[in-house]
Amino acid sequence: MEKTLKRPALLAGVLIALIALPAVADATGYAALTSLATRVLIYGIAAASLNFVLGYGGMVSFGHAAFFGIGGYVVGILYQHYSLGEPLFGFIPGTNQLLITIPVALVISGLMAALIGALSLRTGGVQFIMITLAFAQMLFFLFVSLKTYGGDDGLIIRRANELPGLNMRDKQTVYYVCLAITVVFFFVLWRIVNSRFGNVIVGLRQSEKRMAAIGLPAYRYKLMAFVISGMGCGLAGALMANFLRYASPDMIHWTKSGELMVMVILGGVGTLFGPLLGAAVFIVLESILASWTENWQLGLGLILLFVVLYTQGGVQELGKRLLGNRLFGRRA
């Protein structure tokens, strides 16, 4: 487990670089880097949320795109009812305020995670993987069938949610908002991972029978971890809907769950910052390879194969070897 954030000066340097990125991108004529970095931050949150149950808890979920999509649709649905002036279900008013839509997305995705987790966690192994996948696909087809909310075409959000005192139409402002939320998210995740609760989750991954033998309710702990993970993905989905100004069933499709899984594997399973690094590597490789060929997934697959076979822990493990464990600490 990662007990401390080693070399805080290096972490501060990374944070300063991220803060300066939009100005550097504009100065060098690569303004698109700001949008690319925003996507990295958002997917980093989603991948780290999946990694909490996958890397620390040993729960291989293939349905976390469901919570990602729910977060996005919460923003889209509330905005649509706000713009039409029609309350949801006749009594819930729509809104375009970020300080409202984000908490609502967290609550709804958490409730859905509690429902799915309560049923899925009664199984294990391949059955757990297939049940989480099945639930995600059911939600996918549900939103495809909801013609009121765009059906297969999705929901267009004409303006990003408003935040008092900030111009959320500006891509740089959205980037800094996402950066601030990412910093808070990873700090909270670090505290959870290194808490007694985090120790129990890791213990359950290592031996659920031993943890049950000392009187710990394994099911309740795993369910709570699953809910926290689902809420993190819901947060990422809400941010992505604001960034893209669009929410669609593609956010819930099983391929999105696969992308999040690839990000975790690329960065390092069971590490704190690994999923964020994996998201950066995935998105950068996707941008570069897609500019070369439409079959970019083949190249990404070969790179993923190399990472799994030769880095023995993903990009973060490779970074630890090069930097001598100075930045990332130990794996779970």
Side-chain angles (χ1 to χ4, degrees), residues 56-95:
Y56 291 100
M59 294 171 270
V60 184
S61 170
F62 222 90
H64 263 54
F67 314 125
F68 184 77
I70 287 172
Y73 264 98
V74 165
V75 173
I77 291 173
L78 288 176
Y79 180 83
Q80 175 166 307
H81 285 276
Y82 164 80
S83 61
L84 295 176
E86 299 175 355
L88 178 62
F89 303 128
F91 65 94
I92 301 177
T95 181

Side-chain angles (χ1 to χ4, degrees), residues 13-35 37 172 175-176:
V14 172
L15 182 58
I16 291 172
L18 291 173
I19 293 173
L21 187 145
V24 174
D26 285 346
T28 56
Y30 292 97
L33 283 176
T34 301
S35 295
Q172 289 192 9
Y175 168 80
Y176 283 119

